[in-house]
Amino acid sequence: TLDGAVARESNFDEVLFAGANLRNFDAAGCSFQRADFRGASLLGANLAGADLTGARLDGVDLSGVNLRQALLN
């Protein structure tokens, strides 16, 4: 679980987060290229400016997640 963790400007490319508890995770400016978030809980997470290019977000509820200026290609 990374509930409430802070990891700004970090590289999480191709990391498997499937089913993980990432509530309130502050990951502003991080790179998550091709990361797998399927079924993860991101309630209240801060992904502002994050690079989510190619990330798997199937079944993820993004309500309340800060995605300001995030790349979602």
Side-chain angles (χ1 to χ4, degrees):
T1 182
L2 291 172
D3 187 350
V6 177
R8 292 181 170 211
E9 307 281 330
S10 299
N11 184 317
F12 293 104
D13 292 350
E14 300 183 14
V15 172
L16 178 63
F17 291 108
N21 178 1
L22 303 171
R23 293 177 183 214
N24 303 307
F25 183 35
D26 186 353
C30 290
S31 181
F32 293 102
Q33 292 184 23
R34 297 171 307 283
D36 187 345
F37 290 95
R38 289 178 291 177
S41 175
L42 290 165
L43 182 66
N46 180 14
L47 301 178
D51 184 353
L52 294 156
T53 303
R56 300 285 309 263
L57 296 165
D58 313 56
V60 176
D61 181 0
L62 296 174
S63 300
V65 176
N66 182 354
L67 293 169
R68 189 172 38 91
Q69 296 182 332
L71 298 175
L72 297 165
N73 297 329

